[in-house]
């Protein structure tokens, strides 16, 4: 960090900057120049409160030389982080992982049925919300724990890994119990107590970019998870608000190569929430893979016209199958490949679900 002094700053003002930096526990190195003096702060561990220096007499500006996030950065760890799920799916390596499923879990028939279909089409991770963060309090809010039990049944039946959202502490404890990946949604990207709790859990976390969050804010949110000891973090670009109303959000595909240069964490794309329009999901999914995404999250519903949430952006299963065929080819052009489909045929045995997990 560099503290740039005003041209007319007195020797006393420069001294005060030096002693303040030292009192904060860092080394200060004045760099006199022809026009002005700058004071270098050495040893910035990400905890420096630059506002304390900005307010001192004679200070023109404070310039950050290093990134405010540490553990998520490439400087901290140069190799890519690879998150491995219990069913063998790896996210962040050469392979491209596909998470697919309905926006919300609605019934056993819906979720187990679509899981079988998606698995046969090559997806290895099933998505489906049990706790839904709906814009309107009158919209379907999700089945809660019953939804998690149904997701666990779908995993039993297909071997797919489960990703589902947690909205609060209670929900997080339940999601940790039932799911393979904890999803932190766009609306909670900056819910710091929730991030800390997820950071203390042993499960991988899928962190979605807030709808008005900068890439720096996304990385700082991920830093909360790593700072608590959880390094199994997957980032997700899901679109940001823009001035254009043609799509629900603006899927910022630039964030993929930008994040990959700055961070070792895997990043996937969600073209469903990123566009909000079914016919735009496939083109943007293809583009995300071409941009280097480590995976996709796609909403697919057996009957989108009857979906209780996000039907307008949900693909029909046949559309998803076609998308899978297309991204298989795109991955090969990039010397990557889709995660291998789950080979063993689905075991249709829900007796393995613990008694306590029976749906009432
Ligand atoms: C979702 O994945 O269903 C969801 C609510 O996404 P987001 O948090 O990105 O809006
Ligand atoms: Mn949705």
């Amino acid at each position: 960090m560099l503290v740039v002094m005003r041209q007319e700053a007195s020797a006393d003002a420069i001294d005060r900057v030096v002693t303040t930096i030292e009192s904060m526990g860092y080394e200060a190195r004045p760099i006199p120049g022809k026009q002005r003096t700058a004071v270098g702060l050495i040893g910035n561990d990400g905890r420096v409160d630059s506002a304390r220096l900005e307010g001192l007499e004679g200070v023109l500006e404070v310039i950050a030389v290093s990134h405010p996030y540490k553990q998520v950065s490439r400087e901290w760890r140069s190799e890519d982080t690879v998150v491995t799920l219990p069913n063998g799916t790896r996210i962040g390596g050469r392979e491209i992982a596909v998470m697919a499923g309905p926006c919300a879990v609605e019934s056993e028939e819906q979720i187990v049925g679509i899981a079988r279909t998606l698995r046969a089409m090559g997806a290895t991770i099933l998505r489906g919300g049990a706790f839904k963060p709906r814009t309107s309090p009158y919209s379907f809010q999700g089945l809660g724990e019953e939804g998690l039990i149904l997701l666990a049944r779908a995993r039993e039946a297909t071997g797919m890994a489960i990703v589902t959202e947690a909205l609060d502490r209670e929900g997080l404890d339940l999601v940790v119990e039932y799911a393979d990946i904890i999803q932190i949604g766009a609306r909670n990207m900056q819910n710091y107590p929730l991030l800390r709790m997820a950071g203390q859990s042993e499960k991988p976390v899928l962190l979605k970019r807030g709808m008005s969050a900068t890439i720096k804010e996304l990385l700082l949110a991920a830093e909360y998870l790593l700072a608590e000891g959880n390094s199994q973090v997957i980032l997700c670009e899901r679109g940001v608000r823009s001035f254009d109303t043609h799509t629900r959000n603006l899927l910022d595909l630039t964030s993929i190569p930008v994040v990959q240069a700055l961070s070792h964490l895997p990043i996937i794309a969600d073209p469903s929430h990123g566009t909000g329009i079914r016919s735009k999901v496939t083109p943007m999914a293809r583009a995300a893979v071409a941009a280097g995404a480590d995976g996709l999250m796609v909403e697919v519903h057996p009957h989108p016209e009857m979906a209780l949430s996000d039907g307008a952006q949900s693909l029909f299963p046949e559309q998803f199958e076609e998308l899978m065929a297309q991204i298989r080819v795109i991955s090969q052009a990039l010397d990557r490949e889709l995660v291998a489909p789950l080979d063993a045929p689905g075991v249709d045995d829900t007796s393995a679900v613990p008694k306590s997990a029976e749906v009432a």
Side-chain angles (χ1 to χ4, degrees), residues 22-217:
E22 287 168 352
S23 74
M24 288 160 79
Y26 303 98
E27 194 185 320
R29 197 169 294 163
I31 312 161
K34 266 212 171 104
Q35 307 269 328
R36 62 181 88 244
T37 293
V39 184
L41 180 152
I42 295 158
N44 184 359
D45 53 2
R47 289 169 215 265
V48 178
D49 178 7
S50 60
R52 266 187 76 182
L53 300 166
E54 271 155 8
L56 293 177
E57 189 198 319
V59 172
L60 178 67
E61 61 177 335
V62 175
I63 301 171
V65 177
S66 55
H67 298 306
Y69 41 85
K70 299 289 163 192
Q71 297 191 44
V72 305
S73 73
R74 281 255 176 228
E75 285 107 64
W76 185 276
R77 190 188 140 99
S78 57
E79 329 82 84
D80 291 340
T81 286
V82 179
V83 175
T84 305
L85 304 178
N87 73 355
T89 300
R90 289 153 40 93
I91 309 161
R94 236 188 105 242
E95 295 159 325
I96 293 165
V98 180
M99 311 180 179
C103 181
V105 180
E106 298 168 5
S107 68
E108 177 161 0
E109 189 195 351
Q110 175 233 25
I111 197 70
V112 177
I114 195 74
R116 287 186 204 286
T117 306
L118 294 169
R119 175 209 144 107
M121 293 175 176
T124 63
I125 306 167
L126 177 68
R127 65 146 289 142
F131 301 102
K132 293 304 305 173
R134 303 305 299 278
T135 304
S136 162
Y138 308 118
S139 301
F140 176 59
Q141 304 286 309
L143 295 180
E145 187 172 5
E146 187 185 324
L148 297 176
I149 293 167
L150 298 180
L151 283 168
R153 289 219 176 126
R155 175 176 47 208
E156 286 293 327
T158 62
M160 292 176 86
I162 303 296
V163 56
T164 193
E165 180 165 357
L167 296 178
D168 53 20
R169 173 186 288 276
E170 276 180 9
L172 184 82
D173 289 343
L174 287 168
V175 167
V176 166
E177 201 180 316
Y178 289 96
D180 299 293
I181 305 175
I182 306 161
Q183 179 171 325
I184 303 286
R187 290 157 192 79
N188 272 315
M189 189 204 85
Q190 288 179 310
N191 181 338
Y192 301 118
L194 187 65
L195 291 176
R196 284 196 192 282
M197 285 185 279
Q200 286 158 14
S201 86
E202 311 267 287
K203 292 273 164 90
V205 177
L206 175 74
L207 178 63
K208 299 188 88 175
R209 180 178 182 180
M211 58 190 84
S212 57
T214 63
I215 292 172
K216 187 158 121 187
E217 286 164 341

Side-chain angles (χ1 to χ4, degrees), residues 270-318:
D270 170 353
S272 306
H273 295 87
T275 63
I277 306 166
R278 183 176 308 121
S279 62
K280 307 295 174 273
V281 172
T282 295
M284 295 316 286
R286 294 191 300 237
V289 173
D294 297 302
L296 293 175
M297 171 174 260
V298 184
E299 286 184 342
V300 187
H301 194 286
H303 305 286
E305 66 289 355
M306 279 153 55
L308 297 182
S309 175
D310 285 348
Q313 66 191 34
S314 300
L315 293 187
F316 286 93
E318 314 78 69

